[in-house]
Amino acid sequence: MDNHYDVIIIGTGAGGGTLAYHLAPSGKRILLLERGGYLPREKDNWESRAVFVDSKYRAKETWLDKDGKPFYPGIQYYVGGNTKVYGAALLRFRKEDFGEVSHHGGISPAWPLSYEDFEPYYTKAEYLYHVHGQRGVDPTEGLASAPYRYPPVSHEPRIQELFDDLRRLGHHPFPLPLGILLDEAEGKALHNSACVRCAAFDGFPCLVNGKADAQVICVDPALEHSNVELLTGAFVERLETDPSGRVVTKVIATRKDSVEEYSADFVVVACGAVNSAALLLRSANEKHPAGLANSSDVVGRHYMRHNCSAFMAISKDPNPTVFQKTLALNDFYFHSEDWEYPLGEIQMLGKSDGEMLKGEAPGWAVWKPEFALDYLAEHSIDFWLQSEDLPHPDNRVTINPDREIVLSIQETNLEGHKRLTAKLKEMLSEIGCHDQLMHRSLYLGKDIPIGGTAHQAGTVRFGRDPKTSALDVNCKAHDLDNLYVVDASFFVSIAAVNPSLTIMANALRVGDHLLERLGSAACRK
């Protein structure tokens, strides 16, 4: 009985970590299983070469593409999951994103729930993750039931100048909502602020725990409750069911070279869209021959990851900005003046430095040989562009006979992204930047086309019809009574904003549902 829990949560990132925090005060016995450990706090957390060039904190594993070629995914296995190195841009899906949206490349399907269903949980997630932002500036945002808990992160002078220039051109830049533990005044971190407004935020682990990641915000506080337990280094091999196939009865994990078994009234999978699908596929049995919860044959399918690009513009004036990730623009999110389809979102990136550029030096040397790397770094303004890719059944996760993960991708809906890039170039040429953008492949940390695996979603989609979805609207498997999925696997579409806040909000929403079921279970006992 020591290995039986009320709830087992597999994964501690934006979904699993948030859910654990929400359930912790219930007093129910909760086990968190995390395949990684705590990310080491060390000087290399803030070193560009270690993080970006040497990929020190990326998982040391390979997946296969559709042709069987191995690649290194941009993924991290630590307590807190990928939020340990995310950029903490925490934006809501637009209201329209929950409905059917026509794109140049096809249709982005409607969700089974609306923006209004998620709105209260967006507000709670923003509050929980210390989101700094400003309502009413981005014309595409939906209605919110409360203001942000914290004011927006201030722009440094060069970015404020960019903000003002964009406004002068008639655009609507807005402060990028960030999950950050920052107290500041006049653009400087106060003495009691966890965040110190350094350059090592976007894509870096935070040495001083100033980033609102799932470990800092949710997992560690959850563990303050005596009913919550965390086991690290625990790789879940498979889930087993009872003879009926309706109940998960065993969680089989490998830990310290030994096989361990656990059980729970409710099992929650939150391993990330690729690994969650892989776990369900590995768990195939007589009652679930195509994989657990996969009578619909959608598990592993409809993989999405955004169409993303990182660019560096060269300003004619120096850019001494340290904390650059403070601005975004959604003017082309739904359409532009010369195109009826969505283009996507523009955000700032963390500031380029010399070590990052050295990692890409051959490309720079061809592009602008007259510019020294130091000049480029001093004059760089860095942008992240993301557009919606569309769910396709053949964009999928599978498991080969050797139980290796195979990720098959064909690009979708690229025209909008190309036009978004052109819009950025056009705007920058009007405000005193050089007329070219350099693609920043190193930032993405990827070996496969467009976007790597950072924004993975959609592989265990939810819906009302068990024939076309794996999960119901509460993210419970249609085929099982006690299995849930709370990472971005449940997404029906991915919109064109970062997925983290929607994962967090959904985890709180599913948490409320689970608390009701846990209460009912307690009454029956």
Side-chain angles (χ1 to χ4, degrees):
M1 291 300 294
D2 286 344
N3 281 359
H4 185 81
Y5 296 81
D6 294 298
V7 182
I8 290 176
I9 302 172
I10 306 167
T12 60
T18 304
L19 178 64
Y21 176 89
H22 195 49
L23 298 182
S26 70
K28 300 298 181 181
R29 194 164 182 236
I30 300 167
L31 175 65
L32 292 171
L33 295 174
E34 170 56 53
R35 69 184 295 177
Y38 276 88
L39 192 147
R41 298 182 68 183
E42 56 191 4
K43 187 178 179 182
D44 275 353
N45 291 175
W46 283 355
E47 295 293 339
S48 296
R49 173 161 290 278
V51 173
F52 289 103
V53 180
D54 299 335
S55 301
K56 182 173 183 177
Y57 302 106
R58 281 173 61 184
K60 303 300 189 289
E61 72 175 30
T62 57
W63 297 346
L64 303 177
D65 67 13
K66 61 184 178 181
D67 299 316
K69 180 182 177 182
F71 67 92
Y72 292 98
I75 196 166
Q76 287 74 29
Y77 297 136
Y78 296 106
V79 178
N82 281 345
T83 69
K84 291 305 296 179
V85 298
Y86 76 158
L90 297 180
L91 299 105
R92 301 179 177 207
F93 277 23
R94 313 294 93 173
K95 176 181 173 69
E96 294 85 345
D97 289 328
F98 289 90
E100 184 176 284
V101 179
S102 295
H103 289 260
H104 179 267
I107 299 295
S108 176
W111 286 42
L113 298 175
S114 68
Y115 175 83
E116 287 74 20
D117 293 316
F118 276 82
E119 197 287 324
Y121 296 102
Y122 274 139
T123 298
K124 291 177 182 178
E126 288 165 345
Y127 190 94
L128 175 61
Y129 277 86
H130 294 246
V131 179
H132 290 58
Q134 183 179 355
R135 306 277 189 222
V137 186
D138 172 14
T140 70
E141 68 182 0
L143 293 176
S145 54
Y148 283 109
R149 182 181 180 185
Y150 297 101
V153 178
S154 64
H155 303 308
E156 293 182 38
R158 181 66 185 91
I159 306 307
Q160 183 63 51
E161 181 182 346
L162 174 63
F163 181 95
D164 294 339
D165 285 341
L166 291 172
R167 290 286 297 271
R168 176 175 52 81
L169 293 176
H171 297 296
H172 303 86
F174 62 95
L176 182 62
L178 291 175
I180 187 169
L181 282 72
L182 172 67
D183 292 305
E184 64 170 343
E186 299 179 353
K188 303 293 184 182
L190 298 177
H191 72 279
N192 62 335
S193 175
C195 173
V196 297
R197 282 194 66 119
C198 73
F201 181 84
D202 189 10
F204 293 84
C206 183
L207 180 58
V208 295
N209 288 338
K211 182 186 296 187
D213 64 50
Q215 175 231 312
V216 171
I217 296 298
C218 289
V219 177
D220 289 351
L223 292 174
E224 295 175 8
H225 296 260
S226 60
N227 55 300
V228 181
E229 182 180 352
L230 168 67
L231 294 180
T232 57
F235 174 69
V236 177
E237 297 277 357
R238 67 187 186 278
L239 306 177
E240 295 185 355
T241 69
D242 67 357
S244 74
R246 291 294 306 181
V247 178
V248 175
T249 54
K250 291 182 181 179
V251 176
I252 311 298
T254 301
R255 185 167 176 260
K256 297 179 180 178
D257 297 323
S258 64
V259 177
E260 301 177 356
E261 295 184 2
Y262 304 93
S263 63
D265 294 343
F266 300 102
V267 175
V268 183
V269 176
C271 312
V274 172
N275 277 298
S276 287
L279 172 58
L280 297 180
L281 294 172
R282 287 198 304 268
S283 301
N285 61 29
E286 183 179 348
K287 291 293 185 178
H288 302 272
L292 207 59
N294 197 26
S295 63
S296 60
D297 191 36
V298 302
V299 171
R301 296 186 183 274
H302 306 108
Y303 172 80
M304 298 169 287
R305 77 282 184 211
H306 279 140
N307 293 332
C308 295
S309 297
F311 287 105
M312 188 171 82
I314 306 303
S315 172
K316 294 176 182 177
D317 297 320
N319 178 18
T321 302
V322 176
F323 193 99
Q324 182 173 256
K325 193 180 180 71
T326 58
L327 182 151
L329 183 80
N330 273 338
D331 286 11
F332 312 113
Y333 194 90
F334 295 119
H335 55 78
S336 63
E337 72 283 354
D338 56 355
W339 211 49
E340 62 182 305
Y341 298 108
L343 284 73
E345 180 174 73
I346 298 170
Q347 297 178 13
M348 303 301 298
L349 271 180
K351 185 75 169 65
S352 294
D353 64 28
E355 287 298 326
M356 295 180 190
L357 301 190
K358 287 177 185 176
E360 301 178 70
W364 295 107
V366 171
W367 179 58
K368 285 286 187 181
E370 69 273 24
F371 286 170
L373 292 179
D374 288 343
Y375 176 92
L376 293 172
E378 290 169 4
H379 289 252
S380 71
I381 304 178
D382 304 85
F383 296 92
W384 174 262
L385 277 62
Q386 60 189 16
S387 307
E388 184 165 0
D389 66 326
L390 302 177
H392 191 286
D394 292 331
N395 283 354
R396 64 184 303 195
V397 179
T398 54
I399 302 296
N400 70 11
D402 295 323
R403 300 173 71 82
E404 297 172 298
I405 290 175
V406 180
L407 187 57
S408 301
I409 292 176
Q410 56 180 317
E411 298 170 350
T412 70
N413 201 36
L414 293 179
E415 183 62 27
H417 195 70
K418 293 176 183 176
R419 288 174 179 260
L420 185 63
T421 303
K423 290 293 183 186
L424 177 61
K425 290 181 179 180
E426 180 182 316
M427 288 189 297
L428 293 176
S429 67
E430 294 184 60
I431 58 177
C433 292
H434 289 287
D435 60 356
Q436 295 190 50
L437 292 174
M438 181 60 196
H439 196 274
R440 292 292 317 285
S441 61
L442 185 64
Y443 175 84
L444 295 171
K446 64 184 179 68
D447 302 297
I448 56 176
I450 303 180
T453 55
H455 290 182
Q456 54 185 273
T459 58
V460 195
R461 54 167 40 181
F462 80 151
R464 299 187 184 276
D465 185 353
K467 295 180 181 178
T468 58
S469 59
L471 309 173
D472 68 16
V473 293
N474 292 313
C475 290
K476 183 189 76 68
H478 289 299
D479 301 343
L480 294 106
D481 298 327
N482 69 334
L483 177 65
Y484 290 79
V485 180
V486 297
D487 51 37
S489 300
F490 84 98
F491 283 27
V492 175
S493 64
I494 198 170
V497 296
N498 306 57
S500 296
L501 186 71
T502 301
I503 301 170
M504 296 161 179
N506 185 64
L508 296 175
R509 185 184 69 87
V510 174
D512 278 353
H513 164 80
L514 278 171
L515 287 171
E516 290 185 10
R517 290 198 69 186
L518 286 163
S520 298
C523 291
R524 287 197 301 271
K525 292 177 182 177

